[in-house]
Amino acid sequence: VTRSDEGVDDRELIARHNRGDSDAFRIIVERHRDRLWRVALRTLGNADDAADAVQDALISAFRSAGNFRGDSAVSTWLHRIVVNACLDQARRRASRPVVALADDESRPATAAPDTLAARETAAEVLAALRQLPPEQAAAVVLVDVEGYPVAEVAEILAVPTGTVKSRCARARARLAELLRDFDEKGGGNPGSTRPVQPLNDDHPDSGEELT
Amino acid sequence: VTGPQVTPGFGPDGHAELGALAELDESLLEETQTRQLDVHLQTCVDCRDQLGRIRATRALLSALPAEPMPTDVVRRIDAALTDAMQTATVLPATKRRRWFTSPAFAGVAAAVAAVGLASALIVSRDNGSGGSNAEKGGAANTSSTPQHAAGLAAPQNTVKQWQTGANYTPSNISVLVPGILAGTPTPVPSPAGEDASPNTFSGTNTKSAATESYTREQLRSLPNLIACAKILNAGDAVQPLAVDFANFKGKPATIVVIPTHDDPAHVDVWIIQTTCSNDSLMPVYRVPRPS
């Protein structure tokens, strides 16, 4: 990757890739890989699964870049492919006869939180995210963790904005419930310990009809 | 017998449901339900705590450390991309050999090279009079037909001519090309009415050398094919390795395989969709040469 490419627009890089410039796609990957990685890791809650999903997604993007129409930003397009790969990965994981324990704690983060307490909190949050339905996890990761605008997340997930909000609301309620136990063990999230009504995960996602 | 009346958004204990509070926080609720919850929150400390818990959850999520992709994953993905690129590399324009920069360009008449190379021994598939290409796709013809007796420094290589009907794509080129080079192409169903492959190359150049443009159908003539290969090789005469009258991305195309210049480990796969000429933009892929 040459530094002279730093100012080149993502769409121009896709165009160069489609014209046969073998460096262009690598520049795009270098630009976006950290964010894509975080989305995958937090949606799937497992580093090995996240690595598989991101790799599958980027190879798919590499091969299908000729179909990129420019209707959305390259970043949005890449996120959509990664999220879809994560959802596929989550479905495969769900179909496995034996669910392996996630090993996030075993893989040292490159930029670890400063304190043990912060590290424990992050691990608990990741563990809680792992228990969400993948569609909810993807929505809440994109909105609350990565801070993307709801409209952009709707584009990434190919759903109405109301559905994004609804999935986020359900995810937050479920996470608040899951993290309550962590609080009671001495975690850092303040709040009462009044038992809460369990959320019914079975009823249909009413937000699907929202726009 | 009916149970106690429960207001939507509230549990049997009279407290707001966590899900309803989360939806309230996201402004997803109807006006009536919003008002009921707002009124309840003014007097219920527990439910205010629950709402605070949801907001604290958002804060926890946004405070997750922004770690970069681990270096082992970076390397792994880089290697996978390298593999994907090597599988079928689209040669950028800057790396294609240019006609006018080739030392062979000056003073070498295309026709001379064409005649010289036309003496190559041609192995051509015999489709026979019956049966589809698919049925015979895996069976190489064992007969070799010398096309020209006058051997002017005739290379000992052969040009394999196929009409597999295969649909080449960037992702399957590296799979299909070894098949046509080895004489064992991947069998594919032959499209109806698309069975008119000539069994052998015709022996005359149907274009004048000065024209330097050949339609993909004109490449059924060996001299035309060799003249085309010379164009593809930046003006240096070269023996094509194989030709397949097939499809590329679903559209008819003639696939011409020539050796990669100065790289015996690879071959260049040119896709002739309209014409083989010096000024048309033809996709070319570089794939490993099968051993």
Side-chain angles (χ1 to χ4, degrees), chain A residues 26 42 52 55 172 192, chain B residues 26 53 65 69 76 78 82:
Chain A
R26 286 190 192 280
R42 289 155 179 173
D52 287 346
Q55 179 176 322
R172 288 174 201 136
S192 82
Chain B
E26 196 57 79
R53 174 185 295 279
M69 180 180 278
R76 172 184 157 177
D78 198 48
T82 300

Side-chain angles (χ1 to χ4, degrees), chain B residues 94-117:
Chain B
T94 52
K95 291 183 180 175
R96 298 180 189 206
R97 301 190 68 214
R98 300 295 295 272
W99 233 94
F100 52 81
T101 60
S102 166
F105 176 68
V108 178
V112 172
V115 169
L117 286 168

Side-chain angles (χ1 to χ4, degrees), chain B:
Chain B
V1 179
T2 58
Q5 192 73 27
V6 177
T7 309
F10 290 85
D13 61 357
H15 284 298
E17 291 174 344
L18 207 49
L21 290 172
E23 291 184 336
L24 175 76
D25 203 31
E26 196 57 79
S27 304
L28 286 170
L29 298 178
E30 300 284 338
E31 192 177 338
T32 305
Q33 204 176 357
T34 299
R35 200 179 314 115
Q36 287 171 334
L37 282 167
D38 280 343
V39 168
H40 178 79
L41 285 167
Q42 285 173 14
T43 58
C44 182
V45 175
D46 280 359
C47 286
R48 282 206 300 274
D49 283 349
Q50 295 302 315
L51 184 60
R53 174 185 295 279
I54 289 166
R55 290 174 178 167
T57 299
R58 297 185 73 167
L60 278 176
L61 290 167
S62 65
L64 280 171
E67 67 260 47
M69 180 180 278
T71 51
D72 61 326
V73 181
V74 170
R75 279 195 220 104
R76 172 184 157 177
I77 286 173
D78 198 48
L81 281 173
T82 300
D83 280 350
M85 289 174 187
Q86 285 177 345
T87 297
T89 304
V90 185
L91 294 185
T94 52
K95 291 183 180 175
R96 298 180 189 206
R97 301 190 68 214
R98 300 295 295 272
W99 233 94
F100 52 81
T101 60
S102 166
F105 176 68
V108 178
V112 172
V115 169
L117 286 168
S119 55
L121 189 67
I122 309 302
V123 174
S124 181
R125 277 203 53 211
D126 181 1
N127 282 330
S129 55
S132 68
N133 287 342
E135 289 164 343
K136 299 191 175 188
N141 189 353
T142 54
S143 67
S144 298
T145 307
Q147 296 294 298
H148 291 263
L152 299 174
Q156 294 306 303
N157 295 333
T158 59
V159 181
K160 297 184 176 70
Q161 183 200 21
W162 300 93
Q163 180 161 320
T164 64
N167 182 29
Y168 287 73
T169 65
S171 59
N172 72 14
I173 278 181
S174 62
V175 176
L176 296 179
V177 167
I180 61 170
L181 289 177
T184 54
T186 304
V188 294
S190 177
E194 183 76 28
D195 199 31
S197 172
N199 296 336
T200 61
F201 282 107
S202 53
T204 55
N205 190 338
T206 60
K207 300 286 289 188
S208 71
T211 307
E212 293 301 331
S213 176
Y214 305 90
T215 67
R216 56 184 173 77
E217 284 300 314
Q218 286 173 329
L219 299 180
R220 294 184 188 281
S221 149
L222 178 67
N224 288 349
L225 175 66
I226 287 173
C228 167
K230 183 169 180 285
I231 290 170
L232 304 179
N233 200 39
D236 289 341
V238 66
Q239 171 78 29
L241 299 172
V243 60
D244 187 4
F245 297 90
N247 300 284
F248 182 70
K249 292 183 177 176
K251 293 181 179 173
T254 299
I255 316 298
V256 178
V257 186
I258 64 173
T260 298
H261 180 71
D262 285 340
D263 182 0
H266 288 88
V267 295
D268 287 349
V269 184
W270 290 82
I271 314 298
I272 315 299
Q273 290 162 302
T274 53
T275 59
C276 175
S277 67
N278 201 19
D279 55 359
S280 66
L281 188 59
M282 296 166 283
V284 55
Y285 295 83
R286 183 158 295 172
V287 305
R289 187 174 197 156
S291 53

Side-chain angles (χ1 to χ4, degrees), chain A:
Chain A
V1 177
T2 58
R3 295 305 103 188
S4 62
D5 291 316
E6 279 176 359
V8 179
D9 173 65
D10 278 350
R11 288 169 195 258
E12 170 59 22
L13 287 171
I14 290 288
R16 289 186 187 181
H17 167 72
N18 290 334
R19 290 197 298 266
D21 181 343
S22 59
D23 288 334
F25 197 79
R26 286 190 192 280
I27 298 169
I28 291 173
V29 169
E30 194 172 303
R31 280 182 188 174
H32 297 280
R33 67 185 174 208
D34 289 343
R35 272 173 294 161
L36 297 172
W37 166 252
R38 288 197 293 271
V39 169
L41 178 63
R42 289 155 179 173
T43 299
L44 291 167
N46 175 293
D48 291 332
D49 286 348
D52 287 346
V54 174
Q55 179 176 322
D56 289 351
L58 289 176
I59 297 299
S60 170
F62 172 83
R63 290 185 169 141
S64 64
N67 299 328
F68 177 72
R69 295 279 168 258
D71 297 335
S72 57
V74 172
S75 169
T76 303
W77 173 68
L78 286 173
H79 276 78
R80 186 183 304 141
I81 296 173
V82 166
V83 168
N84 285 335
C86 288
L87 297 180
D88 287 346
Q89 187 75 12
R91 287 183 202 109
R92 282 197 292 272
R93 186 172 64 190
S95 67
R96 287 177 201 156
V98 177
V99 178
L101 290 174
D103 61 351
D104 295 308
E105 290 94 333
S106 68
R107 180 194 281 277
T110 308
D114 291 337
T115 66
L116 180 62
R119 195 181 163 88
E120 282 181 1
T121 301
E124 286 293 332
V125 174
L126 284 174
L129 280 168
R130 198 157 49 226
Q131 296 188 48
L132 296 178
E135 288 81 3
Q136 287 182 20
V140 83
V141 163
L142 290 165
V143 174
D144 285 351
V145 182
E146 294 301 319
Y148 294 144
V150 168
E152 184 176 348
V153 175
E155 206 177 339
I156 290 170
L157 299 177
V159 297
T161 55
T163 302
V164 174
K165 291 180 179 180
S166 175
R167 287 181 184 174
C168 285
R170 288 169 191 282
R172 288 174 201 136
R174 178 76 176 134
L175 289 171
E177 186 183 9
L178 290 165
L179 292 169
R180 185 193 62 213
D181 294 339
F182 176 59
D183 295 343
E184 289 170 349
K185 286 187 294 185
N189 184 19
S192 82
T193 56
R194 172 170 68 81
V196 296
Q197 294 296 322
L199 290 171
N200 179 5
D201 283 337
D202 296 326
H203 69 78
D205 186 350
S206 58
E208 298 291 349
E209 295 175 6
L210 297 171
T211 55

